[in-house]
Each structure stands twice: as structure tokens, then as C-alpha cells.
Amino acid sequence: MMEVEANENELIKAGSNYLRGTLEQSLSDELTGALSPSDAQISKFHGFYQQDDRDLRQQRQQQYLEPQYSFMLRARLPGGVCTPRQWLAIDSVGRELSSGSIRLTTRQTFQYHGILKHNIKPLIQKINRVMIDSLGGCGDVNRNVMCNPNPVASALHAEVYRWTERISEDLLPNTRAYHEIWLDGERVEGEDSEPLYGETYLPRKFKIAVAVPPHNDVDVYTNDLGFVAVAEQEKLIGFNVLAGGGMGTTHGDSTTFPRLADELGFVAPDQMLAVTEAVVSLQRDFGNRVSRRHARLKYTIERIGLSRFQEEVELRSGIRFQPLHPVTFIDQGDRYGWVEGTDGNWHLTLYLENGRVADAPGSQLMTGLRQIAEIHQGDFRITPNQNLIVAAIPASEKGRIERLAREHNLLPENRSLTRLKSIACVALPTCPQAMAEAERYFPEFIESIEQLAAHHGLSDSGIVIRMTGCPNGCARPFVAEVGLVGKGPGRYNLLLGGDGKGLRLNRLYRENLTESELLTELDQLFSRYNQEREAGEGFGDFTVRSGLVEVDKNTIRVEVTNG
Ligand code: SRM
Ligand code: SF4
């Protein structure tokens, strides 16, 4: 039911006739490259965002031209898994209908940038031919469901992945609008309903991840809803359920904050969907529909209290949480190079800096992946750290795949551990929220860090560094050992104290620093770390132990779950 007071987005959703809005009229309006303002909101549920090239904004304004509008489209790809055939289609679409690159994201899917309005429909139709859609890629619904992708314990991973897919399917919007508008599906009057979401969908985006310990590459505690797989003798027995994580904040607004999810309890695998639906329906009914800034589940839980939230989940799902099972996480990054699964197949994790798959002089990444897809018989898995795994390779094919990967600069070789563990968000020039550079600037920044580390004899210590162009937190900077969060052009907040496992929030150390100020600070910190660290102590742990930052006990999850 609509609340009396509601923000603009709620009214747009309510008036959209289950996400149709006037999208078709907006698409056929040839006078502008843009959509109408309300359709630009509705389009997100269909997986695409209206953007404009920020590098060109001023110039176009001076020429009295409208901004250089184009669209970013984000696909739905549960667990980041796709087949070589699908990859070949993803590649062709990237070349033909977007800006010519593919961007792997921190939630294990891919995006295209620079799509012109008239190319949106052909693009969606093309990916649909290989069974990929973009429904719920963005918008106030469940987003791409993440799942730990590097399957050493092959059978366990396969089972967990199947649950990931089921959650993703279960939470898809029911509306036929996507099929009608993009796939020329039949129009059936009066047939729409949204039994779970309702006609105003959720108050805000909703994110789910499933982790398979001991790896926390999905940063499970940063999700609205998290599942931690518990196995006995490599057989799945259930999940620890977590709720209320999130990263996004607003500079200068202390009512917004990053938050790690709380642990609710343990459930059996076949109880997972009921618990998921209960949490989603609770957020639908209790989430803040007045202030979008405070609309995520983390604020709902803070407002109604964890114990009431937990009771409501139990009541709605008809499931009583059992005590948590102890689990241990050891890292939050990707495991590069070759890994052998228990089924005898091999998996090769490639390195794609900040997830950008493109061809450039001397670095034909996109072509390399295409050539691998042409011969590969297993599948591909996009990782939560913007990389790609060539998965399920028989031993006999290892040589051929590795040769292609090496020829095209796709292997992690010759990169520092810190570079391999670090990520940055998209930011400029496409992201409308960016206050500072991230993806474009990060490689150069890491080079300076590598020099500093070498100077202090720290070349071997892989530090998790994450940079974002604003405090929305798309590269999950608040669980990094070093978080760099854009504050303004060329300026960043420096946060320290993550544990390298995604189980502890970091803390603000210095504010609004320029690059040279950042490097001066890090120079001093590295010097102390080199001299004062204890054996085996990570950089984040060192900054906390030595009192450089004070970490609030509520922002640590390690004590509860470590077995
Ligand atoms: Fe994000 C908004 C990119 C993962 C928190 N995010 C955006 C937009 C769409 C900007 C906008 O509002 O118009 C960015 C598009 C940039 C571009 O040009 O492509 C954007 N987010 C990304 C991606 C592509 C970053 C990346 O470098 O990979 C990631 C796509 C994920 C996906 O495939 O679904 C991405 N965003 C995240 C994550 C990480 C995660 O989910 O694990 C977060 C932090 C976790 C969280 O949600 O709390 C995140 N993005 C946000 C927020 C802040 C939400 C909040 O609760 O305050 C926004 C802004 C918003 O929603 O209003 C945002
Ligand atoms: Fe854009 Fe900010 Fe997300 Fe970076 S963190 S992609 S700048 S919204």
C-alpha cells in the first residue's frame, strides 16, 4: 500500500503500470537522445541507465547542444556464469552496439557503455538470443545475485550456484513489460501482478550474495541479504543467514553509514527461498519510502531493531533460525592462475584491470577473450573483483588456453600482489555520481603505490586497496585495508583498517587529500608498517593494532563466525 508521504520515485513507480511508463514513446522520440525524466527512472528496472559523457558536458553546453546522451546497460548474470557461446555474443554486442568495450562489474556481471537510444532494443534482443536478459540489472528490485565462483570443491560449488540461480529467478519482477517492450512479446491486458514486490516494488535496490568459505570474494557482509554456505565433507548442509549490509553513504551526512550485515542464524538449503522472500517482503513493507538515502535494508533493521526484524522473518517464513555454524574466512580477493577442481577440471583466473575488457595498442584483451571463447568448452565466470575465470577446462586443453591468455596479456604475471588485490569503480566519464576519477586513474596510482612499497621493502605484501569516485561505495571501499573515496576532483578520503577478509569496516583516517598528500601519508604508514609489524600481520590489522584508526566493535564480524 502507498504511504501518504512518498518520494518522487515512488510516485513514478506507482504510475508506471508495472514498469511500462512511457518508455516506448521516449524511445521513438527522435528529437532527443534522452528519455523523459520518469522513463529514465523506469528504464533502470529494465537494466539500463541514461548517462552523458561528462568529459564533453561543458563543451556541449557552450555549443548550446544537449548533453551527449547515451546509455549504460547492465545484464543479469547470477553467479557471473556464462557459456563461451554467450561470451561470443557479449563480445559482438560490445563491438557493434556500444562504445566497443565490455565492463565486468563488482557484482559479477557485465555492462556496456555508450549505447545510443536507438540501439537499446536491438542490443537487448541480441543478448536475449543467447538467453541473457537485463531485467532487474538495476532498479528497486533484487540485483544480480552473487556467488563464490572459483570452484575447487566442484560439486559443492555447483550446488551453491544452483541455489543462486533459483534465488535470482524467484525474485525476478513478474511484469510482462520487459518482454512487451524489448522482445515484442504479446500484450495481454490486465494480466500483470507482482505478488512479492507489489506495484511500487521495493523502496530501494536489494542485493544478495552467497559465499562459500573460506573465501569471501563476494564480500558477503556488505549485502542486504547474505548466505554463507556450510558444508560437511563437501556436502552442503545449509547456510548461515546474514542481513543488513551495505556500503553507500553521503559525504557530510552522519545519518548515512556503511554497515556489515548481522547474523540471523542457520537454515537448511530448502528453507533458503522462504527466508529470502520473507526478508524481501519485510523490506517492501517496512523500508523507508520517503527518503531514498535511508531506504536500504540496513536502515530498516536499525530502525525496527534486529530482534524484531528476526522475529518477523521467522513469522513470515514459518522457519525458526537454528544456531549459526562456525565458519572461517581467509581472504576477499580472487585466486589467480590455475586451480584444479575436485572433478579433475581446471580453472584459470585471468586478470582484467578494473574489469575493463577492451582492445588497445599492445593489449588486445577483448580479442584474446574472443579467441579463448572460440575454443573453450567449459564456461566463464565473472568474479566479484571484476576478473574472469575460464572454468572447467580439461587438462588436455590447458596449454592452448594458457598460450592465448599469455599472448593477450590476460595472465596475472608480472603484476604486484597489491595491484592484483585492488579494484576501482567506473567513475568518470560515464558515472553521473562521480566526484573524482577512479578506473581511469587507478592504474597510475597503483604504480606510485608499488614504488612506495618497493622503497619500504613491502613489494610482497598484497594490500587490498579500493578506490571509488564517490561515497556510494561501488568497489566496496569500506571493507578494504586501504579505502580511497572520492571527495572532489583529484581529492580522496583515506580510510584504513579493513582486515583483508571483508569482516571489518575500515575507518576514516584523513580527509580530502590530493594525490601527493595521499602518497605522503602512505609513505609514512608503509615505513611504520615495515618497522613495527608483527610476523604475518596484514597492513589493515597493523593500522588497527597500532591505534592509527579505532575500530568500533560493532563493525567487526570475525569474532562471531570464526570457528
Ligand atoms: Fe554502484 C550507483 C556502478 C556495484 C553502491 N553504481 C551506481 C551507478 C549506476 C551510478 C548512478 O547512480 O547513476 C554507477 C554506474 C557507473 C557507470 O558508468 O557504469 C554504478 N556499481 C557500479 C559498478 C559497475 C561498479 C564497478 O566498477 O563494477 C557495480 C555494478 C554492480 C552490478 O553488476 O550490479 C556497482 N554499487 C555497487 C556496489 C558493490 C556491490 O553491490 O557489491 C555498491 C555498494 C554496496 C551497496 O549497494 O551498498 C554500490 N551504486 C551504489 C550506490 C549507493 C547505494 C546506497 O545504498 O546508497 C549507488 C547510488 C544509488 O543507488 O543511488 C550506485
Ligand atoms: Fe559512480 Fe560513485 Fe559508484 Fe564510483 S562509487 S561508480 S563514482 S556511483
Side-chain angles (χ1 to χ4, degrees):
M1 217 191 12
M2 282 289 299
E3 290 182 20
V4 181
E5 201 188 346
N7 64 53
E8 178 73 18
N9 289 57
E10 293 302 315
L11 304 178
I12 293 173
K13 286 183 275 182
S16 75
N17 183 18
Y18 295 102
L19 307 182
R20 287 172 181 79
T22 53
L23 267 172
E24 288 183 305
Q25 287 94 308
S26 271
L27 286 170
S28 58
D29 181 354
E30 290 175 10
L31 290 176
T32 168
L35 304 174
S36 75
S38 59
D39 289 333
Q41 293 305 322
I42 292 302
S43 72
K44 297 180 186 175
F45 292 80
H46 298 251
F48 60 96
Y49 278 79
Q50 181 171 304
Q51 302 185 320
D52 71 283
D53 188 329
R54 293 184 54 186
D55 287 347
L56 299 178
R57 239 183 224 179
Q58 209 182 355
Q59 184 193 332
R60 303 219 15 130
Q61 217 168 15
Q62 281 160 359
Q63 295 169 338
Y64 300 103
L65 294 170
E66 75 169 12
Q68 181 85 25
Y69 289 119
S70 67
F71 294 83
M72 177 273 277
L73 181 130
R74 186 183 291 159
R76 181 177 70 93
L77 204 66
V81 178
C82 63
T83 64
R85 182 167 164 258
Q86 287 175 321
W87 184 268
L88 290 173
I90 293 168
D91 170 283
S92 306
V93 167
R95 290 169 196 269
E96 293 160 20
L97 297 172
S98 81
S99 59
S101 72
I102 303 162
R103 178 56 155 72
L104 310 184
T105 75
T106 52
R107 290 196 72 78
Q108 295 184 277
T109 183
F110 63 92
Q111 293 186 171
Y112 298 116
H113 292 98
I115 307 163
L116 298 176
K117 193 165 78 172
H118 64 267
N119 279 334
I120 299 172
K121 189 164 174 172
L123 191 156
I124 292 180
Q125 294 191 335
K126 270 198 136 175
I127 59 171
N128 185 257
R129 274 183 222 134
V130 289
M131 312 291 283
I132 296 177
D133 63 69
S134 58
L135 180 56
C138 320
D140 296 342
V141 284
N142 175 52
R143 299 293 187 86
N144 202 44
V145 184
M146 294 166 86
C147 160
N148 182 304
N150 203 337
V152 189
S154 317
L156 172 64
H157 279 264
E159 198 177 352
V160 170
Y161 168 63
R162 279 196 293 278
W163 283 109
T164 305
E165 273 191 309
R166 284 184 69 177
I167 294 179
S168 179
E169 294 297 321
D170 192 54
L171 296 186
L172 268 180
N174 217 31
T175 174
R176 290 190 43 79
Y178 187 84
H179 288 86
E180 277 176 26
I181 298 173
W182 310 110
L183 307 173
D184 298 325
E186 199 191 336
R187 274 151 222 262
V188 188
E189 285 306 314
E191 283 286 293
D192 269 323
S193 69
E194 291 285 8
L196 179 60
Y197 288 123
E199 64 170 5
T200 49
Y201 296 85
L202 295 180
R204 206 64 164 88
K205 57 177 72 166
F206 190 87
K207 297 184 172 178
I208 302 178
V210 188
V212 184
H215 303 292
N216 189 20
D217 36 14
V218 297
D219 281 323
V220 66
Y221 283 89
T222 67
N223 283 262
D224 293 275
L225 179 60
F227 292 97
V228 180
V230 179
E232 273 173 12
Q233 273 114 43
E234 294 201 3
K235 188 129 190 44
L236 183 71
I237 59 160
F239 298 93
N240 286 344
V241 184
L242 324 171
M247 294 275 95
T249 67
T250 304
H251 285 312
D253 180 350
S254 59
T255 64
T256 67
F257 43 83
R259 186 179 193 277
L260 294 182
D262 291 300
E263 285 139 333
L264 301 182
F266 175 86
V267 297
D270 61 2
Q271 297 176 321
M272 195 185 197
L273 291 180
V275 166
T276 301
E277 287 184 12
V279 173
V280 169
S281 75
L282 259 162
Q283 167 64 355
R284 175 197 66 204
D285 298 342
F286 289 86
N288 187 334
R289 291 189 187 257
V290 179
S291 164
R292 284 183 69 78
R293 209 178 259 192
H294 303 99
R296 294 290 294 272
L297 182 68
K298 61 183 175 182
Y299 301 114
T300 310
I301 293 180
E302 290 284 333
R303 185 160 37 84
I304 71 176
L306 183 62
S307 52
R308 167 145 185 240
F309 175 78
Q310 191 152 356
E311 278 164 26
E312 277 284 339
V313 176
E314 291 189 330
L315 197 69
R316 289 184 183 210
S317 64
I319 289 161
R320 264 200 106 63
F321 287 112
Q322 297 165 47
L324 291 162
H325 282 239
V327 291
T328 304
F329 285 113
I330 56 169
D331 56 31
Q332 64 182 149
D334 286 338
R335 283 149 291 153
Y336 289 96
W338 287 106
V339 172
E340 186 179 11
T342 46
D343 60 359
N345 277 325
W346 289 82
H347 313 282
L348 177 63
T349 303
L350 307 174
Y351 174 66
L352 288 147
E353 191 152 46
N354 302 323
R356 185 64 67 178
V357 181
D359 280 346
S363 174
Q364 302 285 298
L365 306 179
M366 202 163 170
T367 299
L369 288 181
R370 191 174 177 89
Q371 290 182 7
I372 291 175
E374 278 163 358
I375 60 164
H376 179 44
Q377 287 150 28
D379 57 41
F380 290 103
R381 289 153 201 216
I382 299 172
T383 79
N385 289 280
Q386 306 165 327
N387 290 306
L388 190 71
I389 302 172
V390 191
I393 305 170
S396 58
E397 286 297 308
K398 277 180 71 186
R400 277 215 298 172
I401 304 260
E402 184 172 323
R403 209 164 29 253
L404 280 174
R406 179 165 292 108
E407 262 169 40
H408 294 89
N409 200 23
L410 289 159
L411 292 177
E413 299 167 343
N414 306 322
R415 270 101 173 190
S416 68
L417 207 51
T418 292
R419 189 179 291 267
L420 294 175
K421 285 187 168 192
S422 299
I423 52 176
C425 74
V426 179
L428 292 162
T430 52
C431 180
Q433 316 263 4
M435 300 170 177
E437 295 279 354
E439 181 188 326
R440 289 199 295 198
Y441 163 56
F442 199 53
E444 181 190 321
F445 179 78
I446 289 288
E447 211 171 297
S448 309
I449 294 292
E450 285 166 345
Q451 284 163 13
L452 273 186
H455 177 71
H456 292 291
L458 296 173
S459 292
D460 293 342
S461 52
I463 301 172
V464 179
I465 305 181
R466 293 179 173 181
M467 175 181 276
T468 57
C470 85
N472 281 325
C474 298
R476 301 185 288 270
F478 304 114
V479 284
E481 291 183 283
V482 176
L484 301 163
V485 176
K487 190 82 198 289
R491 290 187 172 269
Y492 299 86
N493 285 352
L494 171 61
L495 297 99
L496 301 175
D499 62 356
K501 300 175 202 158
L503 304 174
R504 186 169 67 211
L505 287 179
N506 55 24
R507 274 279 181 270
L508 182 65
Y509 178 65
R510 296 278 185 268
E511 215 169 339
N512 206 25
L513 302 183
T514 61
E515 180 188 21
S516 67
E517 289 166 343
L518 269 175
L519 292 174
T520 307
E521 289 291 347
L522 288 167
D523 190 18
Q524 288 162 10
L525 290 164
F526 285 180
S527 168
R528 281 194 60 181
Y529 177 50
N530 182 32
Q531 286 160 30
E532 299 169 29
R533 72 184 147 158
E534 292 176 349
E537 189 176 38
F539 182 70
D541 287 341
F542 163 75
T543 57
V544 173
R545 182 183 55 78
S546 53
L548 288 158
V549 280
E550 217 169 285
V551 178
D552 179 344
K553 215 160 179 307
N554 292 329
T555 64
I556 308 175
R557 291 291 179 269
V558 68
E559 290 170 24
V560 191
T561 49
N562 254 3

